[in-house]
Amino acid sequence: MIKALTIVDDATHEAVAIEVERAIPDHRETRVLEYLAQTRGLPQVIRTDNGKEFCGKARVTWAHERGVQLQLIQPGKPNQSAYIESFNGCLRDECLNEYWFPTPLHARIEIEMWRREYNEEPPKELLGGPTPAAYAEQLAAKAARINPGL
């Protein structure tokens, strides 16, 4: 069995990371978050459900030390994280249910190819037409024009 930690940007709908392992302990999650912070910048908020995998001390410490707010959805209210629920369903239908993964490495390769295609191929109506990657570029360009020194 494999586990997948999916990280999606609410603003751009980009799948910024899908970490695949047999188990994903909280220190592994914080490594992924730290890598994303260094390559994309820190998020203001990280929203998750109330699963036990999101209550680890390392993650809470990581967020606190960086001033990142942790926001848990209310129990039994998956509509509070509707986009990630929809994304996870898409991942399951279009990728996880389509392949047999003999090893975690094979799963990582197939899932990463799917993630890139998701971000770069089909336009998203919710974003007004562009792909998530193109929309992220538009937002970054707009932010650079508004705050040229940052």
Side-chain angles (χ1 to χ4, degrees):
M1 179 178 357
I2 61 165
K3 302 250 182 196
L5 169 67
T6 55
I7 301 174
V8 176
D9 184 317
D10 276 356
T12 65
H13 293 193
E14 269 186 299
V16 296
I18 303 176
E19 185 71 9
V20 178
E21 280 296 335
R22 292 191 192 278
I24 303 174
D26 62 341
H27 68 274
R28 177 72 178 228
E29 181 185 353
T30 58
R31 271 193 277 161
V32 172
L33 293 172
E34 187 60 31
Y35 172 77
L36 292 173
Q38 291 174 9
T39 58
R40 297 179 61 94
L42 281 170
Q44 294 177 357
V45 176
I46 295 175
R47 184 177 52 229
T48 65
D49 63 22
N50 290 289
K52 63 180 176 159
E53 66 273 15
F54 297 121
C55 299
K57 189 174 184 178
R59 182 172 170 276
V60 171
T61 301
W62 180 90
H64 178 74
E65 289 174 351
R66 287 155 186 80
V68 175
Q69 180 186 351
L70 296 177
Q71 186 179 72
L72 300 176
I73 67 167
Q74 293 173 297
K77 302 274 186 172
N79 60 324
Q80 292 179 346
S81 60
Y83 187 74
I84 191 69
E85 295 295 333
S86 173
F87 173 83
N88 286 338
C90 221
L91 171 62
R92 189 173 31 260
D93 293 344
E94 297 176 8
C95 184
L96 301 179
N97 291 344
E98 295 296 315
Y99 297 97
W100 176 68
F101 304 117
T103 66
L105 177 60
H106 183 253
R108 278 186 218 105
I109 292 167
E110 292 293 340
I111 292 169
E112 178 61 16
M113 288 184 344
W114 180 88
R115 185 191 72 81
R116 289 178 185 209
E117 182 179 310
Y118 177 89
N119 286 338
E120 298 168 4
E121 297 295 326
K124 302 288 188 268
E125 287 183 35
L126 284 172
L127 300 175
T131 65
Y135 189 65
E137 288 176 16
Q138 290 174 7
L139 287 182
K142 184 177 180 179
R145 285 192 306 272
I146 293 170
N147 302 309
L150 296 177

